[in-house]
Amino acid sequence: LWPEAQVLLANTVGNMSAGYGSAPWHWYFSSALPRALTLAYPLALLAPAVAPHPAAEFALLPLAAVSLYSLLPHKELRFVLYAVPPLNVAAAAALAALRARLPAAPRTGPRRALAVAGRLGLAAAVAASLALVGASLAAARLNYPGAHALMQLHRTVRPDRRTRVHIGVDAAMSGVSRFLELPAPWRYSKAENLPAADLQSFSHLLVGSNVAPVAGFELLHEEQGFARASLRPPFLLTEPKIHVLSRKAERVDRRRAPPEAEPRRGAGGDFFL
């Protein structure tokens, strides 16, 4: 009667989600939120102490909700992603409060150096945060090789009634969704654990680059994905992630083909069969 309640009980009381992996209780606070908020994270934690009372609630309530989620062994950033916007608001309030506490900048003296250094430090923090967000956005774009591979397949292949695409686990986990599927004659399947014989019914396969070669198929496209960051250009390094395989064209054995009839010359000099 209430499927949402069944899912809630299965993942909390039954702890079924732990079968997909688990993380330490502090993972949201020590890994997920720092990576999502970058330099705004320490400011958000500081907001209850330095920001006005209404702004502090933008930090306390999301952090309390994240604490409840921390009780579950299975953790994913998407579970607490809703906490990022209010925590950014709290970080902005903390930044404004810190700037208001900076002393005025007189013409000379040590107070001027302190005031200028404080303002430059806040400006540098904002600039560094923007740079980190830009770099993360560029890396995130490379994290969906499955989606890019499927779009490349759509651009390359002219479909017909025999076109059937099997989407493997690696491709499904890296961006392929129903939103990318095209109407007929395109047909798709995400069936898992198919035997090799069943794969022969598909015209194209999207598989991980580490998957062994599939008999009867050849490589059509290799999609790169994010591997790691580097301090030297090109900064964001990639590696093969998804292979798009196409069924090999059937070859006709001409040695077994029936011999062609020899043309005969007609009376008027024309050839006919």
Side-chain angles (χ1 to χ4, degrees), residues 176-261:
V176 175
S177 69
R178 297 294 298 271
F179 296 102
L180 296 179
E181 295 182 2
L182 298 180
W186 287 96
R187 291 177 294 169
Y188 308 85
S189 172
K190 290 185 178 180
E192 299 182 20
N193 302 320
L194 292 180
D198 290 351
L199 293 177
Q200 302 303 316
S201 63
F202 295 93
S203 61
H204 299 86
L205 309 177
L206 268 66
V207 300
S209 59
N210 57 345
V211 173
V214 181
F217 288 84
E218 58 186 356
L219 181 64
L220 178 65
H221 173 71
E222 182 178 73
E223 188 65 37
Q224 302 282 320
F226 178 75
R228 59 186 177 88
S230 173
L231 297 178
R232 294 180 296 180
F235 301 115
L236 300 178
L237 305 181
T238 61
E239 62 185 5
K241 293 291 186 179
I242 301 296
H243 282 172
V244 180
L245 306 182
S246 176
R247 174 175 290 282
K248 294 180 180 179
E250 297 183 359
R251 298 178 180 178
V252 179
D253 191 350
R254 296 187 176 274
R255 294 173 299 178
R256 298 182 180 182
E260 297 181 357

Side-chain angles (χ1 to χ4, degrees), residues 10-268:
N11 289 326
T12 55
V13 179
N15 196 27
M16 294 181 61
S17 61
Y20 295 93
S22 59
W25 65 268
H26 55 79
W27 184 80
Y28 286 131
F29 296 100
S30 62
S31 180
L33 290 180
R35 286 184 287 115
L37 291 165
T38 62
L39 296 181
Y41 184 56
L43 289 172
L45 297 180
L46 193 62
V50 301
H53 176 65
E57 295 179 355
F58 281 93
L60 293 176
L61 294 179
L63 291 176
V66 174
S67 299
L68 290 177
Y69 270 98
S70 297
L71 299 177
L72 295 176
H74 180 64
K75 297 176 176 64
E76 296 184 37
L77 174 60
R78 62 189 179 98
F79 295 163
V80 299
L81 199 58
Y82 61 87
V84 171
L87 288 176
N88 271 319
V89 173
L95 188 66
L98 291 175
R99 184 183 183 280
R101 295 186 180 190
L102 290 175
R107 292 181 179 274
T108 58
R111 289 177 60 86
R112 176 177 174 80
L114 178 62
V116 172
R119 286 168 172 77
L120 288 177
L122 295 180
V126 173
S129 182
L130 289 175
L132 287 174
V133 169
S136 299
L137 182 62
R141 183 185 177 278
L142 300 174
N143 267 334
Y144 301 94
H148 292 293
L150 182 59
M151 290 188 292
Q152 180 63 33
L153 176 64
H154 290 158
R155 290 190 293 265
T156 304
V157 173
R158 178 176 296 179
D160 54 33
R161 60 182 181 83
R162 298 170 297 177
T163 303
R164 294 188 64 210
V165 183
H166 182 264
I167 300 168
V169 175
D170 292 316
M173 293 177 61
S174 58
V176 175
S177 69
R178 297 294 298 271
F179 296 102
L180 296 179
E181 295 182 2
L182 298 180
W186 287 96
R187 291 177 294 169
Y188 308 85
S189 172
K190 290 185 178 180
E192 299 182 20
N193 302 320
L194 292 180
D198 290 351
L199 293 177
Q200 302 303 316
S201 63
F202 295 93
S203 61
H204 299 86
L205 309 177
L206 268 66
V207 300
S209 59
N210 57 345
V211 173
V214 181
F217 288 84
E218 58 186 356
L219 181 64
L220 178 65
H221 173 71
E222 182 178 73
E223 188 65 37
Q224 302 282 320
F226 178 75
R228 59 186 177 88
S230 173
L231 297 178
R232 294 180 296 180
F235 301 115
L236 300 178
L237 305 181
T238 61
E239 62 185 5
K241 293 291 186 179
I242 301 296
H243 282 172
V244 180
L245 306 182
S246 176
R247 174 175 290 282
K248 294 180 180 179
E250 297 183 359
R251 298 178 180 178
V252 179
D253 191 350
R254 296 187 176 274
R255 294 173 299 178
R256 298 182 180 182
E260 297 181 357
E262 293 290 336
R264 294 182 290 113
R265 186 184 298 273

